[in-house]
Amino acid sequence: MSPRDNPWPPILAGIQDEIRLKNRLWRQWQITRDPALKAKVNCLQWSVTHWLNKWRNDQWSATLESLNPEDQSLWRMTKRVMRVLNPSPTPVTPGGIALSDSEKAETLADNLEAQFQPVTDSSFPAVIEMVDVALRSYLSPASEPQLTNPDKIHESIRVLKVSKAPGPNDIPNRTLKHLPKLAVSLLTHILNMVLCTHQFPQTWKHARVISILKLGKDSALPSYYRPISILDTIGKLFEKILLARILHVVNECGLMRDEQFGFRPRHSTSLQLARLIERITRNFGEKRLTGAVFLYMAKAFDIIWINGLLYKLTLLNLCVYVDTGAVCLVHMA
């Protein structure tokens, strides 16, 4: 049978013990930098690699020997090994079909550029001018911003997920988790300078964009690809700190309605559906009708008036406490 149908047994206990010992000595070496510990770690690493390779080869040999044409396991394995991967989709452009990787990238980039255009509605020039003047005056505060400290930075780094892909700077979250105290202090100084100067670094705005075809959509149309933007880890760390401040103010002041379930901790679509079903069931028992309006806005972020959104945040007096760096961050993102 194939490994998918007959999963391999767990790794041998002796190998697992060596892995645990290696990881424990590695953590000790990270603290002490003792050359003797480093030598032991290297020796254990070689031993673990050797025994893991031997164990995998033995398991694979046993799997191949167990294949039998009578129970279809041989044919399933043959099909799996000889499976041909589906070719990458070929978007269609006004000039023809994009065949090469560079042509596909340019096609998707042109489509994204056409979508993410600033909203310029000149229907109400007086309102637009009023909002622009209010934002310009708001972005020049006289008070000092609320700075962060190494403890908060360390706590924010601690909860980062190591499985997240790095951005254009290729610095993974795992690297941030292993920063020494001096590096954390320097990073704190950099983030505080961003708060003081209200200047979000240009490099933190660059992203590695991966386009994924939406389920069941035509691969020839570039508009059916969903862009996934992978930003730099340090920039996302700064955004996480600002988000914690914003959520603290929102929860303390009760600015978010109880009916809001999206982007909230301990809230999910399932809970909202359960709430809706409970309301319908209760009305049905009371012989009352239940009305519902479902509104779907396609590409909502692309068509929103960013300055108008920031102006509404200033009316709530939200960013006065958080710091106008949050406004700059949203404004320049």
Side-chain angles (χ1 to χ4, degrees), residues 6 8 29 36-37 48 88 102 109 112 126 140 169 172 206 243 247 250 269 299 306 320 324 331:
N6 184 20
W8 291 346
W29 177 81
L37 283 177
V48 167
S88 59
S102 59
L112 293 178
S140 301
N169 63 2
H206 297 167
L243 177 61
L247 292 180
V250 167
T269 306
K299 303 183 183 302
I306 299 295
V320 171
T324 52
H331 188 262

Side-chain angles (χ1 to χ4, degrees), residues 12-30:
L12 298 177
I15 301 178
Q16 293 184 10
D17 292 339
E18 282 198 356
I19 293 175
R20 295 189 187 97
L21 177 60
K22 177 185 71 70
N23 293 338
R24 185 168 66 251
L25 293 179
W26 171 262
R27 288 191 293 268
Q28 293 178 6
W29 177 81
Q30 287 284 334

Side-chain angles (χ1 to χ4, degrees), residues 2-206:
S2 68
R4 181 179 299 176
D5 298 329
N6 184 20
W8 291 346
I11 299 176
L12 298 177
I15 301 178
Q16 293 184 10
D17 292 339
E18 282 198 356
I19 293 175
R20 295 189 187 97
L21 177 60
K22 177 185 71 70
N23 293 338
R24 185 168 66 251
L25 293 179
W26 171 262
R27 288 191 293 268
Q28 293 178 6
W29 177 81
Q30 287 284 334
I31 299 174
T32 63
R33 298 291 175 173
D34 185 359
L37 283 177
K38 180 60 174 174
K40 292 181 180 179
V41 169
N42 293 339
C43 182
L44 285 172
Q45 178 63 46
W46 181 90
S47 177
V48 167
T49 302
H50 169 75
W51 288 111
L52 274 179
N53 289 336
K54 184 178 183 305
W55 175 79
R56 291 192 181 104
N57 291 334
D58 293 343
Q59 296 300 323
W60 184 248
S61 298
T63 300
L64 293 179
E65 292 176 359
S66 66
L67 297 178
N68 189 346
E70 296 182 357
D71 62 0
Q72 303 297 320
S73 60
L74 176 61
W75 310 118
R76 286 198 296 269
M77 175 62 72
T78 304
K79 182 178 179 181
R80 178 184 177 189
V81 173
M82 300 186 64
R83 181 179 57 188
V84 179
L85 297 178
N86 295 328
S88 59
T90 54
V92 178
T93 66
I97 300 177
L99 298 177
S100 64
D101 292 340
S102 59
E103 291 176 347
K104 295 177 183 178
E106 288 295 330
T107 300
L108 296 174
D110 293 340
N111 177 69
L112 293 178
E113 183 179 3
Q115 291 184 30
F116 292 93
Q117 292 292 335
V119 179
T120 55
D121 187 0
S122 56
S123 302
F124 304 96
V127 176
I128 295 175
E129 178 65 22
M130 182 267 294
V131 169
D132 291 341
V133 171
L135 286 181
R136 283 196 298 268
S137 61
Y138 194 85
L139 293 178
S140 301
S143 59
E144 291 293 330
Q146 180 187 1
L147 302 181
T148 185
N149 56 65
D151 292 337
K152 292 182 179 179
I153 297 295
H154 186 270
E155 179 61 24
S156 299
I157 293 177
R158 188 184 64 83
V159 298
L160 292 177
K161 296 181 179 179
V162 297
S163 59
K164 295 294 185 180
N169 63 2
D170 290 325
I171 300 177
N173 288 337
R174 190 182 298 275
T175 301
L176 297 182
K177 288 179 175 289
H178 289 85
L179 289 179
K181 292 183 179 180
L182 178 59
V184 174
S185 299
L186 294 176
L187 181 59
T188 304
H189 177 70
I190 293 174
L191 300 185
N192 283 333
M193 288 303 297
V194 174
L195 291 172
C196 292
T197 60
H198 309 293
Q199 297 297 323
F200 195 76
Q202 289 285 344
T203 55
W204 293 356
K205 304 175 194 176
H206 297 167

Side-chain angles (χ1 to χ4, degrees), residues 36 53 62 97 112 114 161 243 249 254 256 296 301 307-308 314 318:
N53 289 336
I97 300 177
L112 293 178
K161 296 181 179 179
L243 177 61
V249 177
M256 192 175 296
Y296 174 76
F301 183 80
N307 284 349
T314 61
L318 176 63

Side-chain angles (χ1 to χ4, degrees), residues 243-293:
L243 177 61
R245 297 184 180 186
I246 293 174
L247 292 180
H248 176 74
V249 177
V250 167
N251 294 330
E252 274 199 346
C253 301
L255 300 178
M256 192 175 296
R257 297 178 60 90
D258 294 336
E259 293 80 6
Q260 172 70 32
F261 274 69
F263 306 101
R264 297 184 69 180
R266 295 181 295 276
H267 290 69
S268 65
T269 306
S270 301
L271 294 177
Q272 184 71 303
L273 289 175
R275 176 176 173 270
L276 177 61
I277 293 174
E278 187 274 334
R279 179 69 62 85
I280 295 175
T281 304
R282 185 179 60 187
N283 290 344
F284 182 78
E286 298 175 358
K287 298 183 179 181
R288 299 171 59 186
L289 298 177
T290 302
V293 177

Side-chain angles (χ1 to χ4, degrees), residues 224-248:
Y224 285 151
Y225 289 82
R226 176 180 289 107
I228 305 297
S229 299
I230 305 177
L231 296 167
D232 281 342
T233 51
I234 299 179
K236 290 194 292 186
L237 176 65
F238 179 70
E239 293 178 358
K240 181 182 289 290
I241 295 172
L242 286 182
L243 177 61
R245 297 184 180 186
I246 293 174
L247 292 180
H248 176 74

